[in-house]
């Protein structure tokens, strides 16, 4: 959870601990009432348009008669897969959750798969009640092909069906064998919350201590990077060293530093351990007239602390002091946790005769 164990000198520059605690309580809340409990948020992964040849037409008219609700839902979510709904249930139940493959389209080395997760019948659990995240733990395979590219997007939580739907698109280096398509998911994150909050800029550090880190990623255009004085090269950066480590930060999203230094606003976050969770905050500067300024550059790195790999990021906005007075800092806080491991796996034969 977001904790109150921040250093006192940074209390004024963070979202209040009470407000952040409230945000985490939203992610942990378990309730029988499902309407309006979770925001419908589409994971920001682009879905590339694929022109696929339909090799095997499934028995859609018969399916529409036996399960018209599923057919209508697929038409609404992914119209291109409406003719590829599986004529029988293909599912796997483990640890209180049921994975079901709803529709599959395979053409050569490209595959589109519509899947759903729901609470297992009779489990007595309420794990699926809104958006969930597969955390890139999905896979599709048959005879030794290698993954080239993939993408997964959360489509919808259907309250009537009590199901969360995903569209997964995968390209391999070899054609898939349509007689035996294996699809699996290793882990599901069941608590997902996203919320925007204003972050105070009233107590910015003027000259923070720094340390040099090896980055796992540096984003930003060449022109954006040129105005940032903290980049030593394409792999190393000087970041703020302003926070004493607290064990509670392993499972929290924490703003660990705010500074205005050498014409740059610096915003540092600790994302904690991401082994079974995902936490991230993105920031923009917003004027009263609604105009926004995005970060010019951002560095990500990992530190080994108490035997755990802890993720950090620092965002940089280049602007003058006068310009800074015109803006407020807005953070979009994204939390994904509540992990359930199951190693769900199903096998689909697309060439089986009806």
């Amino acid at each position: 959870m977001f904790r109150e164990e921040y250093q006192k000198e940074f209390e004024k520059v963070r979202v209040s601990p009470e407000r952040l605690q409230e945000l985490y309580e939203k992610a942990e809340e378990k309730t029988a009432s499902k309407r309006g409990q979770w925001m419908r948020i589409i994971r920001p992964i682009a879905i590339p348009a694929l022109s696929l040849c339909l090799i095997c037409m499934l028995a859609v008219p018969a399916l529409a008669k036996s399960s018209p609700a599923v057919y209508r839902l697929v038409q609404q979510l992914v119209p291109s897969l409406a003719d590829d709904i599986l004529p029988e249930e293909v599912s796997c139940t483990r640890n209180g959750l049921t994975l079901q493959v709803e529709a599959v389209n395979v053409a050569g080395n490209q595959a589109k798969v519509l899947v759903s997760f729901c609470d297992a019948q009779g489990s007595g659990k309420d794990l699926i009640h809104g958006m969930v995240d597969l955390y890139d733990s999905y896979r599709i395979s048959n005879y030794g092909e290698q993954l080239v590219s993939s993408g997964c997007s959360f489509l919808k939580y259907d309250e009537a069906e009590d199901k969360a739907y995903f569209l997964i698109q995968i390209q391999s280096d070899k054609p898939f064998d349509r007689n035996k398509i294996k699809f699996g998911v290793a882990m599901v994150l069941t608590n997902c919350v996203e919320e925007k909050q204003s972050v105070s800029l009233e107590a910015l550090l003027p000259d923070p201590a720094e340390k040099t880190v090896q980055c796992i990623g540096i984003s930003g255009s060449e022109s954006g990077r040129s105005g940032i004085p903290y980049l030593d090269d394409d792999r190393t950066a000087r970041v703020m060293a302003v926070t004493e480590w607290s064990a509670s930060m392993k499972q929290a999203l924490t703003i660990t530093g705010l500074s205005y230094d050498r014409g740059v606003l610096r915003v540092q976050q600790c994302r904690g351990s991401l082994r079974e969770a995902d936490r991230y905050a993105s920031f923009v500067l917003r004027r009263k007239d609604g105009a926004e300024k995005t970060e010019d550059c951002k560095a990500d790195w990992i530190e080994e602390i108490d035997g755990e790999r802890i993720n950090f990021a620092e965002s940089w906005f280049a602007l003058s002091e006068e310009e800074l007075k015109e803006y407020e800092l807005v953070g979009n806080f994204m939390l994904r946790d509540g992990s359930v491991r199951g190693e769900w796996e199903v096998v689909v034969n697309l060439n089986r005769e009806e």
Side-chain angles (χ1 to χ4, degrees):
M1 296 188 299
F2 278 120
R3 309 292 187 180
E4 298 181 2
E5 301 178 10
Y6 303 138
Q7 286 183 293
K8 292 182 179 180
E9 60 264 33
F10 290 106
E11 289 288 329
K12 295 182 180 180
V13 300
R14 290 175 177 75
V15 183
S16 70
E18 295 81 7
R19 191 65 188 93
L20 297 180
Q21 178 70 25
E22 179 183 338
L23 177 57
Y24 255 97
E25 287 174 356
K26 288 185 179 181
E28 296 174 344
E29 185 180 13
K30 299 293 184 181
T31 174
S33 173
K34 297 177 181 179
R35 184 177 299 275
Q37 184 180 8
W38 302 100
M39 300 170 64
R40 277 65 165 168
I41 304 169
I42 297 177
R43 186 174 181 178
I45 297 179
I47 306 176
L50 300 178
S51 177
L52 300 180
C53 299
L54 184 60
I55 299 176
C56 178
M57 294 295 292
L58 301 176
V60 177
L63 177 77
K65 292 180 180 179
S66 62
S67 185
V70 173
Y71 186 66
R72 286 196 299 270
L73 189 61
V74 174
Q75 281 187 314
Q76 173 190 351
L77 296 178
V78 193
S80 64
L81 287 181
D83 290 339
D84 299 303
I85 303 172
L86 298 183
E88 62 181 2
E89 181 174 317
V90 180
S91 63
C92 175
T93 298
R94 290 183 180 176
N95 292 342
L97 291 179
T98 296
L99 163 70
Q100 181 167 343
V101 177
E102 307 280 359
V104 179
N105 185 297
V106 169
N109 67 338
Q110 299 184 84
K112 288 201 296 187
V113 187
L114 179 67
V115 303
S116 67
F117 267 97
C118 65
D119 293 307
Q121 188 173 6
S123 68
K125 296 183 178 181
D126 181 24
L127 298 172
I128 305 297
H129 38 235
M131 180 185 179
V132 297
D133 194 323
L134 303 188
Y135 203 38
D136 294 335
S137 69
Y138 54 88
R139 61 191 181 277
I140 182 171
S141 62
N142 43 38
Y143 296 115
E145 60 282 325
Q146 298 296 316
L147 179 68
V148 174
S149 63
S150 66
C152 175
S153 57
F154 173 75
L155 296 178
K156 178 182 180 180
Y157 168 69
D158 186 85
E159 188 174 2
E161 296 286 328
D162 192 21
K163 285 185 175 183
Y165 289 88
F166 298 84
L167 176 64
I168 296 168
Q169 299 187 95
I170 294 178
Q171 180 179 346
S172 68
D173 64 340
K174 301 176 184 178
F176 290 106
D177 184 340
R178 295 174 56 81
N179 292 305
K180 188 178 182 181
I181 302 291
K182 292 194 297 184
F183 178 79
V185 175
M187 181 173 63
V188 178
L189 304 181
T190 60
N191 290 331
C192 301
V193 169
E194 187 168 342
E195 185 168 320
K196 290 184 178 181
Q197 289 293 319
S198 178
V199 181
S200 174
L201 295 176
E202 294 181 356
L204 297 176
L205 291 175
D207 186 21
E210 293 182 344
K211 60 184 177 182
T212 299
V213 297
Q214 293 290 318
C215 300
I216 59 173
I218 299 176
S219 63
S221 65
E222 184 175 346
S223 60
R225 294 187 185 194
S226 65
I228 305 302
Y230 313 114
L231 295 175
D232 295 331
D233 52 45
D234 290 338
R235 299 191 55 121
T236 60
R238 283 168 287 115
V239 300
M240 291 183 284
V242 294
T243 300
E244 291 293 332
W245 172 251
S246 169
S248 64
M249 293 166 64
K250 291 182 181 180
Q251 305 301 327
L253 176 59
T254 312
I255 300 177
T256 48
L258 280 169
S259 171
Y260 183 75
D261 176 40
R262 286 172 280 179
V264 178
L265 175 67
R266 311 170 73 172
V267 186
Q268 188 183 103
Q269 60 179 292
C270 174
R271 302 171 61 194
S273 170
L274 304 184
R275 185 163 50 90
E276 292 190 347
D278 194 13
R279 310 173 191 89
Y280 189 74
S282 59
F283 299 96
V284 298
L285 290 171
R286 181 179 298 160
R287 285 197 319 227
K288 292 182 179 180
D289 61 5
E292 292 185 349
K293 176 178 174 57
T294 58
E295 63 193 21
D296 293 281
C297 187
K298 179 173 68 69
D300 291 90
W301 71 98
I302 296 175
E303 298 184 23
E304 190 84 17
I305 303 176
D306 297 339
E308 291 266 13
R309 289 169 59 85
I310 307 300
N311 290 66
F312 292 84
E314 187 165 306
S315 300
W316 297 309
F317 300 81
L319 72 172
S320 68
E321 286 191 62
E322 290 303 314
E323 289 175 317
L324 183 60
K325 294 176 183 178
E326 300 177 2
Y327 288 96
E328 68 167 339
L329 181 64
V330 178
N332 188 42
F333 297 90
M334 183 275 288
L335 313 173
R336 308 279 188 265
D337 55 18
S339 65
V340 178
R341 286 191 173 272
E343 297 295 338
W344 299 268
E345 185 172 274
V346 297
V347 178
V348 180
N349 182 357
L350 296 181
N351 287 336
R352 185 182 63 82
E353 294 184 2
E354 305 307 322

